[in-house]
């Protein structure tokens, strides 16, 4: 900068030093599915302010199949062009052809390839800006979405209207879901409300996708489960009573007030009746997402990257050798057996 400016006082001689290697894409989510052409996998994800990205094996550049803010996403492992994407406040849209179209839908609705299927909490504003959306780990066509209510879709990507969501449970006035997970029809839904520092409260409701058996877990008030934002859930495919819970925030008493508690990863083996702090030697850093792999390995997405603990290890280790030290918002396994991380930055 040499000091030249226009009439409004704006500098006119700034020069960009970005050579194209300093990308800063802010992902909230990631989804992976086999490419319909059989060439590999399609990788998609929701981006803050930049819609939904999609990268297919035969693409020369990454594309965008949904606009606006890109929140959570569900991708069909068997067909990466079957994608559901959340805009904000649970405004869900779905496509079954990667949203490829010639624009004919603008004059002929019958030519549409993307459909708005937002659950009712979108219209009432009773969902978080980025609300949780997930598929049952044993039935890819059963989806769970969380606002004030726990919504269930059993049509999979064939859903065409928001009216096709079933209200399985009401979390209560002022409560909004922060994380949802489902296995074989058993659903866990974490919530907060109020969600700010003053009067912060959190909880977990458990029930069935058909609307039966719902109850609120009695979370310990002794700090065993911190009074902080509950950000991620992972259910053991072999045992729906075995669940891992990722907790956000910092272990500071002043963060959400007295009783905020310590720790970032908790485990139950009895469906949430009792919990154990399994944070171990985790650094005091917000945890955003947790994944339980088939061999018992636990992977945690944190604000400092991805940490991993195998059944044989004595503590946590940094995953890989070249992951950036940045916030990892979501972890998902792909049909190729690989683990994918959505980095926010």
């Amino acid at each position: 900068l040499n000091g030249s400016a226009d009439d409004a006082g704006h500098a006119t001689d700034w020069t960009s030093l970005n050579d194209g290697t300093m990308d800063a894409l802010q992902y909230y989510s990631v989804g992976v599915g086999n490419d319909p052409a059989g060439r590999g996998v399609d990788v998609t994800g929701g981006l803050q302010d930049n819609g939904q990205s999609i990268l297919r094996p035969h693409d020369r550049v990454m594309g965008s199949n949904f606009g606006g803010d890109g929140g959570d996403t569900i991708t069909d492992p068997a067909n990466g062009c079957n994608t559901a994407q959340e805009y904000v406040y649970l405004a869900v849209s779905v496509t079954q052809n990667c949203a490829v179209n010639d624009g004919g839908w603008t004059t002929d609705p019958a030519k549409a390839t993307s459909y708005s299927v937002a659950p009712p909490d979108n219209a009432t504003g009773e969902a978080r800006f980025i609300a949780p959306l997930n598929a049952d780990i044993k039935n890819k066509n059963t989806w769970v979405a969380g606002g004030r209510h726990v919504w269930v879709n059993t049509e999979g990507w064939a859903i065409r209207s928001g009216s096709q969501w079933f209200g399985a449970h009401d979390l209560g006035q002022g409560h909004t879901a922060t994380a949802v997970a489902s296995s074989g029809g058993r659903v866990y839904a974490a919530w907060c409300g109020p969600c700010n520092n003053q009067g912060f409260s959190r909880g977990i409701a458990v029930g069935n996708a058909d609307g039966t058996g719902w109850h609120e877990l009695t979370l310990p008030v002794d700090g065993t489960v911190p009074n902080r934002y509950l950000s991620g859930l992972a259910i053991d495919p072999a045992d729906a009573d075995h669940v891992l819970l990722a907790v956000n925030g910092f272990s500071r008493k002043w963060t959400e007030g007295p009783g905020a508690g310590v720790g970032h990863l908790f485990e139950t083996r009895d469906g949430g009746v009792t919990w154990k702090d399994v944070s171990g030697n985790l650094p005091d850093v917000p945890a955003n997402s947790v994944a339980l792999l088939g061999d018992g390995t636990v992977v945690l997405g944190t604000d400092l990257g991805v940490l991993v603990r195998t059944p044989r290890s004595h503590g946590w280790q940094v995953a890989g050798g070249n992951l950036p030290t940045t916030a990892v918002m979501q972890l998902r396994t792909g049909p190729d057996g690989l683990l994918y991380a959505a980095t926010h930055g």
Side-chain angles (χ1 to χ4, degrees):
L1 175 65
N2 296 320
S4 62
D6 59 21
D7 292 341
H10 301 138
T12 59
D13 57 348
W14 283 102
T15 300
S16 174
L17 301 180
N18 183 13
D19 60 0
T21 63
M22 192 174 66
D23 296 324
L25 298 177
Q26 296 176 296
Y27 278 96
Y28 286 118
S29 64
V30 59
V32 189
N34 286 324
D35 185 70
R39 303 178 185 178
V41 295
D42 300 337
V43 182
T44 184
L47 286 159
Q48 179 175 319
D49 294 326
N50 286 283
Q52 185 92 352
S53 75
I54 184 166
L55 183 62
R56 298 171 294 184
H58 53 282
D59 288 339
R60 295 183 178 180
V61 296
M62 185 171 68
S64 178
N65 50 359
F66 294 99
D69 283 88
D72 222 335
T73 187
I74 300 177
T75 302
D76 184 353
N79 183 345
C81 277
N82 288 341
T83 305
Q85 181 259 353
E86 178 205 10
Y87 178 41
V88 296
Y89 306 112
L90 216 56
V92 180
S93 295
V94 66
T95 180
Q96 292 191 269
N97 74 336
C98 285
V100 175
N101 65 81
D102 61 3
W105 61 271
T106 57
T107 56
D108 184 359
K111 295 182 178 180
T113 59
S114 298
Y115 309 89
S116 176
V117 294
D121 280 354
N122 169 249
T124 61
E126 294 178 293
R128 293 186 62 76
F129 183 78
I130 299 299
L133 178 68
N134 221 334
D136 190 288
I137 60 176
K138 292 187 175 180
N139 184 348
K140 66 181 183 180
N141 289 315
T142 295
W143 301 354
V144 179
R148 167 180 168 170
H149 303 83
V150 178
W151 298 99
V152 175
N153 159 40
T154 58
E155 301 293 328
W157 291 271
I159 187 174
R160 292 294 180 265
S161 168
S163 64
Q164 292 175 274
W165 290 91
F166 165 67
H169 180 63
D170 185 349
L171 294 171
Q173 186 174 3
H175 296 169
T176 52
T178 59
V180 294
S182 177
S183 176
R186 173 86 70 84
V187 181
Y188 291 80
W191 56 265
C192 66
C195 297
N196 53 26
N197 286 7
Q198 295 183 346
F200 180 88
S201 180
R202 86 293 183 250
I204 301 176
V206 182
N208 300 315
D210 63 5
T212 62
W214 280 90
H215 60 281
E216 193 71 30
L217 294 181
T218 302
L219 295 182
V221 294
D222 61 359
T224 302
V225 177
N227 188 36
R228 303 202 310 271
Y229 189 92
L230 308 180
S231 50
L233 292 161
I235 306 174
D236 185 345
D239 181 3
D241 284 335
H242 181 204
V243 182
L244 293 173
L245 170 67
V247 181
N248 205 269
F250 292 93
S251 299
R252 301 288 187 259
K253 295 299 183 183
W254 43 259
T255 304
E256 277 92 12
V262 298
H264 295 278
L265 184 65
F266 295 80
E267 181 181 46
T268 180
R269 291 184 176 272
D270 53 18
V273 177
T274 59
W275 294 86
K276 179 182 179 181
D277 185 348
V278 291
S279 303
N281 66 335
L282 273 173
D284 184 17
V285 61
N288 306 306
S289 179
V290 59
L292 180 61
L293 306 186
D295 64 352
T297 295
V298 179
V299 189
L300 196 65
T302 76
D303 275 12
L304 288 179
V306 180
L307 300 175
V308 61
R309 185 177 66 195
T310 70
R312 295 167 296 281
S313 64
H314 298 290
W316 295 91
Q317 296 180 333
V318 176
N322 59 350
L323 279 170
T325 305
T326 190
V328 175
M329 304 304 292
Q330 192 173 82
L331 297 165
R332 290 271 172 87
T333 53
D336 52 4
L338 298 180
L339 182 72
Y340 290 78
T343 61
H344 196 80

